[in-house]
Every structure is written in structure tokens, then in C-alpha cells.
Amino acid sequence: MRLGLALGYWGRGPSPDHVPLAQEAERLGYDSVWTAESWGSDAFTALTWIAARTSTIKLGTAVAQMAARSPTTTAMHALTLDHLSGGRMLLGLGLSGPQVVEGWYGRPFPSSPLTATREYVDVVRQVLRREAPVALDGRFHSHPYRGEDGTGLGKPLKPITHPLRRDLPVLLGAEGPKNIAQTARIADGWLPLYWSPTRTEVYEAPLADAPEGFVVAPMARAQVCDDVAEGLLPVKAMLGFYIGGMGHAKRNFHADLMARMGYEEEARRIQRLFLEGRREEAVLAVPDAFADEISLVGPRERIAERLESWRKGPVTDLLLLSPDRHTLRVLAELNS
């Protein structure tokens, strides 16, 4: 099982720790480092900054939001950074949800998310293969554009720049069973948001047809500390925000996932509290048991014991949301 460092997206401003943490992860032998985006900092610029200050560690987006860019623009970002980094790029993509797509990007959430994702990946692959001009008679991502408000003058084009790797890995963030199953068919890997090594049956059916070499790379908060309850507070804060605030009351993919993992009543309570403005209560309502099973928190010996369960399942890459160099070093030692 390879280790990666997940840096997430910026908060109020850029973190001065991100580059030093990435450099330390590279020194410790971590395989990859990942950036993200929501509605603030973007994933590619921060990743390019890290690329310029590292030399061997792979560079991933977990995830770049599809609504933020056309698929050809995303492919341009990926092939550019792949060249600049010497072939270290890993392209992680995610659809996001209606609240972000329509509220932040100002465009409609696709009526058929599976079709929209499939078309998006198809176009990205066409650009990276550079076998012919990009052409797709799609429902959401037609190339050339054929909408009634177009000029009709669009011309199929191939990228001017020759991609460094035609097989640049494409990974998808997916939560629903149908979305995960499609990811196993059309992508090189899957980026689960929550992963419980004790509930792998939740994912068995969607991953049944995953090909050999398929990457499963969940993110998990990791912190070496003496007080487990205190170490879990950041995990609970994250869960409270995602389950309560990252989505509408009637359509929240994160809450639905928590429900499928056996915590339906708790997920709906967190949602209700958050939407009522009782955010602190929503965080406290996150069960310690759920926060604990999707993270690696506590003394070194406890983490060592729990790490074994992550190794036994289908996880190929464990992407650690880790706040300090000490934790990175301990996980590297335990996983060696």
C-alpha cells in the first residue's frame, strides 16, 4: 500500500506548511501529494507550485471539479503540468454537487451525472491520446459545439502540444454505487471520500469489475497523539461540514454515503442541526465511532494496529490528511 499526502484546499489563505510538508513527504518516500478545490483556491496552481519545489513525488488533484472547466481545458492543465513535472501528474476529477455547481459555477447540475462524467472523461482521454481531432456527439459535452445558440463554425481540433503521456492516469471521486461502478469501467482509479476498512462490503459490488491495477485511493485524517477523542475533533468538524453543509437537505451525496455506511439516523440529525444553524451541535453529533473508523488517530501503537486493517482490503494508496511532519514520519515507518 503506497502512501500519499493530501493537502486539501486553502482556507482563508495559502498555508505556509504545504510546500514543506510535500518536501518532507517526498524525502520520506511518499508516492504522491494531492491538492483540492471547493470555492476558493484552485487545485492546479497550488499543485504546480509544489511541482516546482519537488522532484520525484507524484502530483495529484483530489479533486479538480468538472464544472470549473470544460474537459479540454482540464486536459490542457493536465498535459501542461505533466510536461513541466517530468511525467508526475495524476488527474483526479469530481462532479461535486448541485449546491456548488449551480451556486458557485453558475451552471446547471447535469440531469444525468453518470452520462456527464462519462462524456467528460471521454473528451479528456481523446485530448491525451491525440490520435485524431476531438469529436463527441454528446448530451453534455459535444465537440464541436452544436447548440442552437452557436455559430455552427466549430472545427474539430487536436491539441497543438503533444502530451507527454497518452496514458496519464485519470481517477474519479465517486460516492454512489452506480457512479463507483462506472468509475471502475472508465477510469484508472477511484478516490473515495470516506473509507472504512471494517465495512468493505459497502464497496464490493460496485468494484466487482474493476480491472487489474485499478487504483483505490481513499483519504484519511492521520494524527499521532495521546488523546484519541481530541485527535478526532478535526475529523468530526470535517464530517459535520460535509454532511451538514455540503449539499441541500434533499440532495446531499455525503450524507447519503454516511447513511449507506450504517449511520443513517446520525447523518440526518447532523444535516438537520447544521441547516438549523446549530453547527457546533452538528459537529458534536458526529459519532466518535464513525470518525474513528475512517481515520488513523491516536498513539503510535494504536495506529500501527489499525493500519493493518487498511492493508488487508483493496486499498492501493492511502492519502493522508496529516497536520505535522512527525505523523508523516511515523506512518512512513509503520508502512515500510
Side-chain angles (χ1 to χ4, degrees):
M1 185 176 69
R2 297 176 292 259
L3 295 182
L5 170 64
L7 296 173
Y9 45 79
W10 297 352
R12 180 173 297 181
S15 170
D17 295 330
H18 281 184
V19 169
L21 283 172
Q23 292 171 329
E24 179 68 2
E26 181 176 71
R27 189 188 68 78
L28 291 169
Y30 278 59
D31 186 69
S32 56
V33 58
W34 301 75
T35 57
E37 60 189 12
S38 53
W39 50 88
S41 61
D42 79 279
F44 288 103
T45 306
L47 197 60
T48 304
W49 193 253
I50 292 168
R53 286 157 176 77
T54 56
S55 57
T56 59
I57 196 166
K58 294 173 188 171
L59 308 155
T61 53
V63 295
Q65 295 178 329
M66 294 184 224
R69 308 161 189 86
S70 71
T72 49
T73 306
T74 294
M76 289 166 64
H77 279 302
L79 73 85
T80 301
L81 185 47
D82 203 43
H83 269 291
L84 293 174
S85 66
R88 293 189 279 150
M89 180 69 199
L90 302 166
L91 180 59
L93 301 171
L95 196 59
S96 192
Q99 196 172 51
V100 175
V101 172
E102 298 184 3
W104 180 248
Y105 293 113
R107 56 190 306 173
F109 188 77
S111 55
S112 177
L114 291 173
T115 302
T117 299
R118 188 167 58 250
E119 291 180 2
Y120 199 103
V121 172
D122 186 347
V123 172
V124 169
R125 298 279 204 197
Q126 288 190 51
V127 173
L128 295 175
R129 286 195 298 264
R130 201 180 178 272
E131 294 173 345
V134 176
L136 178 67
D137 185 14
R139 179 177 171 187
F140 298 98
H141 298 291
S142 289
H143 284 69
Y145 181 70
R146 297 181 178 86
E148 293 182 358
D149 56 344
T151 64
L153 302 177
K155 176 184 177 181
L157 299 168
K158 287 200 297 186
I160 296 170
T161 304
H162 290 232
L164 182 64
R165 293 181 296 163
R166 58 174 286 132
D167 58 348
L168 188 155
V170 177
L171 302 91
L172 295 175
E175 295 183 42
K178 292 181 180 178
N179 204 344
I180 297 169
Q182 175 174 267
T183 297
R185 294 193 299 270
I186 69 173
D188 301 297
W190 173 38
L191 296 162
L193 181 59
Y194 313 134
W195 179 275
S196 171
T198 63
R199 299 176 191 269
T200 55
E201 70 279 358
V202 174
Y203 318 106
E204 282 178 1
L207 291 176
D209 296 325
E212 185 176 353
F214 186 75
V215 172
V216 177
M219 282 182 277
R221 170 84 177 187
Q223 185 173 3
V224 178
C225 59
D226 293 329
D227 190 328
V228 174
E230 184 177 342
L232 288 176
L233 285 177
V235 185
K236 296 177 67 169
M238 176 272 293
L239 288 169
F241 177 60
Y242 273 72
I243 293 163
M246 291 282 273
H248 191 271
K250 296 181 180 178
R251 197 168 187 184
N252 184 315
F253 302 135
H254 309 305
D256 293 345
L257 174 59
M258 183 178 175
R260 286 196 300 275
M261 295 176 73
Y263 294 91
E264 182 167 10
E265 183 178 342
E266 294 87 343
R268 304 311 171 196
R269 181 165 185 263
I270 294 165
Q271 268 190 298
R272 186 176 66 256
L273 290 169
F274 197 96
L275 294 172
E276 290 174 356
R278 299 155 66 184
R279 297 191 176 190
E280 291 186 9
E281 292 180 63
V283 170
L284 293 175
V286 175
D288 282 4
F290 182 57
D292 196 25
E293 68 182 81
I294 66 169
S295 60
L296 287 161
V297 172
R300 178 188 177 113
E301 297 74 17
R302 185 177 194 267
I303 291 177
E305 180 181 346
R306 296 167 70 86
L307 191 62
E308 288 303 314
S309 63
W310 291 78
R311 287 201 189 96
K312 291 177 182 177
V315 173
T316 61
D317 297 72
L318 178 56
L319 312 185
L320 300 172
L321 290 155
S322 179
D324 60 80
R325 293 173 181 80
H326 176 62
T327 296
L328 291 179
R329 185 170 61 254
V330 169
L331 266 295
E333 292 169 355
L334 294 176
N335 196 56
S336 63

